Amino acid sequence: MSAKPQSRAWQRMLSGRRLDLLDPSPLDVEIEDIAHGLARVARWNGQTKGAHAFSVAQHCVLVERLVADLKPRLGREARLMALLHDAPEYVIGDLISPFKSAVGLDYKDFELRLQSAIHLRFGLPARAPAELQALFKQADIASAYFEATQLAGFTAPEAKRFFGTPSRALRIPRLMPLGPAEAQAQFLERFRRLTA
């Protein structure tokens, strides 16, 4: 009997890196791969208005901006963590919250290991402090409210029921889905400004 072939647990990236999905190394993380992947992952499972899907790359840029609105004196490192808050989705996609709940904790553990590798690659703490995580969550939920009402067909009362009312400290964005190349460039431009 021949041995069963071992399953492949890595993904080849366009940069040529091979990212081990079970044990991700910061050395195999490249910002261009992240930007490329996030620009091609649709928020809301693609159920948004416009010629293009609203990408996770655009969402990340929006969340970083909302974090800056909420805490104007926040440093670059914290804002970079906000920009990268959904970076693991360049590999795993954007699973909607109800599906994440159904998948369970193993999924969350996988996502956290990948997030740690991404943070370490860019000189950030493996995990954001709890205070920053709460701030990122507040901005993420506000982003979901704006996306839901402007792009995903939710009425304002319906969005308030699911996401609450966004803080008055936030400037209301005007959202327009971009094509993948434009979304990728926008994400990379924010990354470069925050790491300059």
Side-chain angles (χ1 to χ4, degrees):
M1 272 191 163
S2 63
K4 181 179 177 184
Q6 188 174 8
S7 298
R8 179 173 64 95
W10 54 268
Q11 178 176 348
R12 183 178 178 84
M13 300 295 164
L14 286 177
S15 65
R17 298 281 187 194
R18 289 185 181 187
L19 181 67
D20 183 333
L21 301 177
L22 300 178
D23 187 20
S25 167
L27 299 175
D28 292 323
V29 173
E30 296 292 341
I31 194 61
E32 289 80 9
D33 292 332
I34 292 171
H36 182 87
L38 294 182
R40 286 153 178 80
V41 175
R43 293 270 297 161
W44 305 91
N45 280 341
Q47 299 300 307
T48 54
K49 299 172 187 173
H52 303 284
F54 190 75
S55 72
V56 175
Q58 285 187 263
H59 166 77
C60 289
V61 169
L62 175 59
V63 167
E64 185 265 329
R65 196 197 101 197
L66 296 175
V67 162
D69 284 352
L70 291 167
K71 294 276 186 191
R73 295 184 183 191
L74 205 58
R76 283 183 180 202
E77 181 178 274
R79 289 179 66 176
L80 180 58
M81 284 189 271
L83 181 70
L84 296 171
H85 82 281
D86 277 342
E89 294 179 9
Y90 88 106
V91 174
I92 58 179
D94 184 25
L95 299 181
I96 58 174
S97 296
F99 189 73
K100 285 181 183 179
S101 297
V103 170
L105 293 177
D106 287 343
Y107 171 83
K108 192 64 178 166
D109 181 57
F110 172 74
E111 188 176 36
L112 288 173
R113 277 184 296 181
L114 186 52
Q115 185 73 57
S116 292
I118 292 166
H119 275 204
L120 293 173
R121 168 63 176 90
F122 300 113
L124 301 170
R127 281 218 169 136
E131 178 184 310
L132 283 179
Q133 287 181 31
L135 177 64
F136 300 162
K137 190 68 178 169
Q138 181 184 3
D140 198 37
I141 291 170
S143 177
Y145 174 89
F146 296 130
E147 292 169 30
T149 54
Q150 293 183 41
L151 302 171
F154 285 59
T155 64
E158 185 179 27
K160 283 180 185 174
R161 196 167 59 247
F162 289 109
F163 309 111
T165 304
S167 168
R168 290 185 178 175
L170 299 173
R171 291 173 287 151
I172 299 173
R174 184 173 168 264
L175 304 179
M176 176 186 274
L178 302 174
E182 218 176 333
Q184 181 175 340
Q186 184 185 68
F187 182 90
L188 285 171
E189 189 271 333
R190 282 309 302 148
F191 176 84
R192 290 185 178 120
R193 281 183 181 256
L194 291 170
T195 57

